[in-house]
């Protein structure tokens, strides 16, 4: 880690446990009340309004009706803004610090603004299945007489195209979905609310730039198309999924909602936290082979709070380094058939689970299909799956020397089915 970067401090108050020190500076979109949505950067408990600083001549302006896409697309512009912001916010720089009028217009308390989805229009959402421990657990549950992993798992990043229109920002309540389910002994299916509402602990990444239709992106260039990471909760209805996923895959069990955190952490902020990840055997085919560390050491935590609880309870802790396929491999595989990627597309890793109980990234695993319910220590309640009123929160961060590079939270409360 660069000493000059790791030792930076800001004149904006930033607590040691804050996710948003000067080393991070993630991008998001915010508004004041019902006002226009603007592009901002998080620092401490505040949001920096990039447009205000641009109008004041302290930052390059970000043009276009969708400035977040402009910023994702233009790496040189992003690097310039990021570097200039670190200069302006550094403890010894008086330019913005000592200009009270401008400072009050440009730096707003986060608690007073409304945070929006970090990309306004997401053209595509793709969900992978790159958590090998999760895949193994699911295999053990549903194919007990077979090998836990299907034959292709260690050869190919498995994924499917999800529903981009139902990607929502953290804090959006989630309606319990309805669909077809079939009880084991029932003669036929029935229609109604899911009884097995679940979360999936994932990381996501947003795409920078695209490629012409029919032209793959080679592995040595794929990272040029990775802008930054975000937290993802890909909500799931397990009983719907069990009935509908064969022969093609998830449909209504997944498409009703996917929650993302409000902030995109750029790869530049994550550079000091690269790790090698687990070994891959057999060696991937040439188009998926990568050099150097391509995973990230991101601590992940999940809490659950029922309506009767005063405080949330941690139900899982794990790390993004538990992914088998890296983000770069996921994107290289997606583009290998000539799929035309677009700026602002969202890709999710798939459920991230560790190898031991307490590190699993879904209720399906934490309760082992509901057979061993979780106990809520404060109230004595139990949970096999999520119930109406439950609040599920995912948080994630990289721990540096005296600071964190964090992603904030992705929060959702389960509401009853409509009708």
């Amino acid at each position: 880690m660069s000493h000059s970067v790791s030792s930076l401090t800001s004149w904006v108050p930033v607590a040691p446990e804050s996710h948003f020190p000067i080393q991070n500076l993630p991008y998001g979109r915010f508004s004041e009340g019902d006002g226009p949505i603007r592009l901002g950067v998080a620092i401490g408990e505040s949001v920096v309004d990039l447009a205000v600083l641009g109008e004041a001549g302290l930052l390059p302006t970000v043009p276009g009706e969708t400035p977040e896409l402009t910023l994702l697309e233009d790496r040189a512009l992003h690097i310039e803004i990021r570097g200039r912001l670190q200069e302006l916010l550094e403890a010894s720089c008086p330019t913005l610090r000592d200009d009270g009028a401008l400072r009050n217009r440009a730096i707003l308390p986060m608690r007073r603004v409304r945070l929006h989805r970090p990309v306004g229009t997401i053209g595509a959402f793709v969900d992978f299945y790159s958590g090998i421990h999760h895949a193994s657990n699911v295999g053990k549950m549903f194919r007990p007489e077979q090998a836990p992993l299907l034959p292709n798992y260690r050869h190919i990043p498995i994924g499917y195209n999800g529903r981009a229109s139902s990607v929502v920002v953290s804090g959006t309540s989630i309606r319990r979905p309805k669909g077809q389910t079939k009880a084991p002994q029932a003669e036929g299916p029935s229609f109604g609310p899911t009884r097995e509402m679940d979360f999936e602990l994932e990381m996501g990444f947003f795409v920078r730039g695209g490629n012409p239709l029919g032209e793959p992106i080679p592995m040595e260039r794929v990272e040029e198309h990775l802008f930054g990471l975000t937290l993802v909760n890909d909500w799931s209805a397990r009983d719907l999924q069990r009935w509908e996923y064969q022969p093609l895959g998830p449909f209504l069990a997944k498409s009703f909602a996917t929650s993302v955190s409000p902030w995109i952490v750029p790869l530049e902020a994550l550079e000091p936290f690269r790790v090698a990840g687990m070994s891959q055997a057999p060696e991937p085919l040439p188009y998926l082979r990568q050099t150097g560390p391509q995973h990230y050491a991101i601590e992940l935590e999940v809490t659950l709070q029922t309506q009767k609880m005063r405080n949330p309870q941690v139900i899982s802790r794990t790390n993004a380094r538990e992914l088998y396929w890296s983000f770069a491999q996921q994107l290289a595989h997606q583009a290998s058939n000539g799929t035309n990627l677009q700026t602002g597309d969202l890709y999710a890793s798939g459920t991230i689970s560790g190898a031991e109980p307490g590190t699993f990234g879904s209720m399906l695993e934490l309760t082992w299909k509901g057979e061993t319910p979780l106990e809520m220590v404060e109230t004595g309640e139990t949970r096999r799956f999520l119930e109406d009123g439950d609040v599920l929160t995912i948080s994630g961060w990289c721990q540096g020397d005296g600071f964190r590079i964090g992603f904030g939270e992705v929060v959702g409360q389960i509401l009853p089915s409509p009708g």
Side-chain angles (χ1 to χ4, degrees):
M1 183 183 301
S2 168
H3 177 73
S4 61
V5 173
S6 65
S7 61
L8 280 177
T9 58
S10 174
W11 51 263
V12 177
V14 179
E17 68 276 10
S18 171
H19 283 206
F20 307 125
I22 193 172
Q23 290 86 354
N24 191 348
L25 303 183
Y27 296 102
R29 296 162 69 241
F30 74 96
S31 62
E32 296 182 87
D34 295 325
I37 298 176
R38 307 199 294 276
L39 191 61
V41 163
I43 182 163
E45 298 298 323
S46 302
V47 177
V48 181
D49 190 327
L50 298 187
V52 169
L53 293 183
E55 292 166 1
L58 296 181
L59 287 181
T61 58
V62 184
E65 296 182 1
T66 54
E68 73 277 13
L69 294 183
T70 301
L71 198 63
L72 263 65
E73 179 81 30
D74 190 337
R75 185 173 188 273
L77 178 62
H78 150 62
I79 293 298
E80 184 178 0
I81 288 176
R82 177 175 169 78
R84 183 60 179 145
L85 269 178
Q86 285 188 323
E87 292 176 3
L88 290 169
L89 297 172
E90 200 272 326
S92 64
C93 181
T95 306
L96 182 57
R97 182 194 65 198
D98 296 347
D99 188 337
L102 178 59
R103 186 183 67 238
N104 290 337
R105 288 194 299 117
I107 300 183
L108 308 172
M110 199 177 296
R111 66 181 183 277
R112 295 184 185 174
V113 303
R114 179 184 175 191
L115 299 177
H116 298 266
R117 194 169 64 181
V119 171
T121 300
I122 297 174
F125 169 59
V126 175
D127 191 24
F128 278 93
Y129 194 49
S130 294
I132 193 169
H133 300 304
H134 172 72
S136 296
N137 287 336
V138 171
K140 292 173 185 176
M141 286 185 229
F142 297 114
R143 297 185 303 274
E145 304 304 320
Q146 303 176 36
L149 295 176
L150 293 173
N152 63 351
Y153 189 87
R154 292 179 181 271
H155 294 274
I156 182 173
I158 305 297
Y160 73 95
N161 287 288
R163 183 75 186 178
S165 64
S166 56
V167 176
V168 297
V169 71
S170 172
T172 304
S173 297
I174 307 301
R175 286 280 182 185
R176 181 176 296 271
K178 294 181 179 179
Q180 284 194 27
T181 60
K182 182 182 179 298
Q185 307 304 321
E187 292 185 4
S190 60
F191 183 83
T194 176
R195 296 181 180 88
E196 298 181 6
M197 184 71 174
D198 204 353
F199 74 94
E200 290 189 338
L201 166 60
E202 307 193 27
M203 295 298 304
F205 60 86
F206 282 96
V207 169
R208 167 198 284 132
N211 56 304
L213 182 65
E215 295 187 14
I217 300 174
M219 176 60 76
E220 59 268 21
R221 291 192 53 208
V222 73
E223 197 163 296
E224 299 172 16
H225 297 274
L226 291 170
F227 179 83
L229 306 186
T230 191
L231 291 171
V232 174
N233 181 352
D234 194 32
W235 303 94
S236 299
R238 299 300 184 184
D239 44 358
L240 274 63
Q241 184 178 355
R242 248 191 335 270
W243 174 239
E244 73 176 3
Y245 87 102
Q246 299 184 51
L248 292 180
F251 191 49
L252 298 186
K254 299 279 190 174
S255 62
F256 61 94
T258 301
S259 297
V260 297
S261 52
W263 304 106
I264 307 174
V265 176
L267 290 192
E268 289 78 12
L270 298 169
E271 187 64 28
F273 305 98
R274 285 182 181 264
V275 292
M278 63 183 68
S279 61
Q280 295 182 327
E283 185 180 24
L285 293 174
Y287 80 100
L288 289 173
R289 290 176 191 165
Q290 54 191 9
T291 58
Q294 295 291 339
H295 291 255
Y296 298 91
I298 304 169
E299 300 287 343
L300 297 167
E301 182 179 273
V302 184
T303 66
L304 176 60
Q305 184 172 4
T306 73
Q307 288 185 303
K308 295 181 180 179
M309 296 168 64
R310 291 173 296 175
N311 300 294
Q313 177 175 318
V314 175
I315 61 173
S316 180
R317 288 191 176 101
T318 188
N319 195 291
R321 68 197 311 163
E322 299 289 351
L323 289 170
Y324 186 79
W325 297 103
S326 71
F327 303 123
Q329 288 175 314
Q330 293 166 32
L331 195 60
H333 180 64
Q334 169 69 95
S336 65
N337 70 341
T339 298
N340 52 325
L341 311 180
Q342 295 179 311
T343 295
D345 288 353
L346 172 64
Y347 288 75
S349 63
T351 305
I352 304 172
S353 293
E356 304 296 331
T359 67
F360 298 157
S362 67
M363 294 293 286
L364 178 69
E365 298 165 273
L366 289 168
T367 70
W368 208 255
K369 296 187 296 181
E371 295 173 0
T372 56
L374 290 179
E375 181 180 355
M376 302 294 103
V377 176
E378 181 183 327
T379 60
E381 299 170 271
T382 59
R383 286 292 185 271
R384 289 179 168 84
F385 290 93
L386 301 176
E387 297 186 9
D388 293 346
D390 289 352
V391 176
L392 196 289
T393 301
I394 296 172
S395 183
W397 64 91
C398 303
Q399 187 61 55
D401 183 10
F403 67 93
R404 288 180 171 181
I405 300 295
F407 298 83
E409 295 179 337
V410 56
V411 184
Q413 182 175 34
I414 308 303
L415 300 182
S417 291

